[in-house]
Amino acid sequence: AQKITQTQPGMFVQEKEAVTLDCTYDTSDPSYGLFWYKQPSSGEMIFLIYQGSYDQQNATEGRYSLNFQKARKSANLVISASQLGDSAMYFCAMREIPSGSARQLTFGSGTQLTVLP
Amino acid sequence: SAVISQKPSRDICQRGTSLTIQCQVDSQVTMMFWYRQQPGQSLTLIATANQGSEATYESGFVIDKFPISRPNLTFSTLTVSNMSPEDSSIYLCSVVVGADRVYEQYFGPGTRLTVT
């Protein structure tokens, strides 16, 4: 079974609007971390935001926020006030941490976001 | 966070040759990894680079094809051996920093490899 599911292969958003990129995950470990990365056409992977499974509040980093709904096992990325430079591929990832030892990152298939002027 | 550099940033290689990719980190890190991203795909973990010992390879990847060295806590190399067009990918070095269950992971800028 897929551990990380991103159901939106492509998304379009108007400049200055907000956009939500969906991510659902599957794990039976109570301890895990959720990550979002941005990959522009240059190929680098840029770390955006992190949410721990025990964190009480949703993570925020500037224009990025993570809508963490633990019961639904979803970790959607919200980008506010989209900019043309936000056009990129976005990957959701999870690391399970059973008994304090971290496992490898598992990545979703990605969502290609295009910001329209 | 960590600043990671990779060399070369891109290369075009002939079938049957080998390419060594270097990864340099600006601080000592315990966990260092190599990933492959084939065109239009997500990232796949090749191996964990272990300092002073043999790398730990994921299923489907073998040492003869992807030999890895890690002589110290800030540097690693990945060699793509006997290349074929199917090896055309972005290869990314990655490190984990943090503690107390916050295992933040950062990536280098990647090496874009084209095999002809």
Side-chain angles (χ1 to χ4, degrees), chain B residues 22-40:
Chain B
Q22 297 180 4
C23 175
Q24 180 74 53
V25 190
D26 68 339
S27 58
Q28 294 187 340
V29 293
T30 304
M31 289 186 272
M32 186 180 282
F33 309 98
W34 287 97
Y35 286 81
R36 180 177 75 180
Q37 186 180 26
Q38 294 176 301

Side-chain angles (χ1 to χ4, degrees), chain A residues 39, chain B residues 9-19 21 35-44 46 61 65-66 78-92 110-116:
Chain A
Q39 187 178 42
Chain B
S9 59
R10 60 176 62 232
D11 208 340
I12 301 173
C13 300
Q14 298 278 353
R15 180 197 298 261
T17 62
S18 298
L19 176 72
I21 303 168
Y35 286 81
R36 180 177 75 180
Q37 186 180 26
Q38 294 176 301
Q41 303 295 313
S42 188
L43 278 72
T44 301
I46 297 172
F61 297 96
K65 176 68 175 175
F66 297 101
L78 168 75
T79 299
V80 185
S81 303
N82 188 24
M83 287 184 283
S84 67
E86 292 70 37
D87 295 320
S88 297
S89 299
I90 299 174
Y91 292 85
L92 296 125
T111 297
R112 193 181 294 268
L113 172 62
T114 302
V115 184
T116 60

Side-chain angles (χ1 to χ4, degrees), chain B residues 32-107:
Chain B
M32 186 180 282
F33 309 98
W34 287 97
Y35 286 81
R36 180 177 75 180
Q37 186 180 26
Q38 294 176 301
Q41 303 295 313
S42 188
L43 278 72
T44 301
L45 180 64
I46 297 172
T48 302
N50 301 310
Q51 193 261 331
S53 64
E54 194 172 285
T56 304
Y57 290 85
E58 297 298 305
S59 175
F61 297 96
V62 295
I63 187 171
D64 290 345
K65 176 68 175 175
F66 297 101
I68 290 170
S69 79
R70 189 167 176 203
N72 56 52
L73 293 177
T74 64
F75 185 79
S76 177
T77 66
L78 168 75
T79 299
V80 185
S81 303
N82 188 24
M83 287 184 283
S84 67
E86 292 70 37
D87 295 320
S88 297
S89 299
I90 299 174
Y91 292 85
L92 296 125
C93 172
S94 180
V95 301
V96 170
V97 298
D100 296 334
R101 300 196 300 236
V102 181
Y103 295 92
E104 294 188 359
Q105 187 156 341
Y106 297 88
F107 288 81

Side-chain angles (χ1 to χ4, degrees), chain A residues 13-41:
Chain A
V13 65
Q14 208 67 41
E15 194 178 7
K16 301 180 184 176
E17 297 290 314
V19 63
T20 298
L21 307 184
D22 294 342
C23 174
T24 57
Y25 60 92
D26 183 29
T27 181
S28 57
D29 285 314
S31 183
Y32 53 90
L34 296 156
F35 302 76
W36 277 93
Y37 290 89
K38 171 184 177 181
Q39 187 178 42
S41 57

Side-chain angles (χ1 to χ4, degrees), chain A residues 37-94:
Chain A
Y37 290 89
K38 171 184 177 181
Q39 187 178 42
S41 57
S42 59
E44 60 186 314
M45 291 284 286
I46 302 168
F47 169 71
L48 293 179
I49 197 166
Y50 169 86
Q51 179 84 45
S53 60
Y54 294 111
D55 294 341
Q56 296 297 313
Q57 293 188 319
N58 287 343
T60 61
E61 289 287 346
R63 295 186 298 110
Y64 304 107
S65 61
L66 200 152
N67 184 0
F68 182 43
Q69 298 187 44
K70 195 170 183 177
R72 296 180 59 188
K73 293 187 175 178
S74 78
N76 299 338
L77 177 70
V78 180
I79 305 174
S80 63
S82 297
Q83 303 171 356
L84 295 178
D86 293 334
S87 294
M89 181 71 85
Y90 289 80
F91 289 98
C92 179
M94 176 178 68

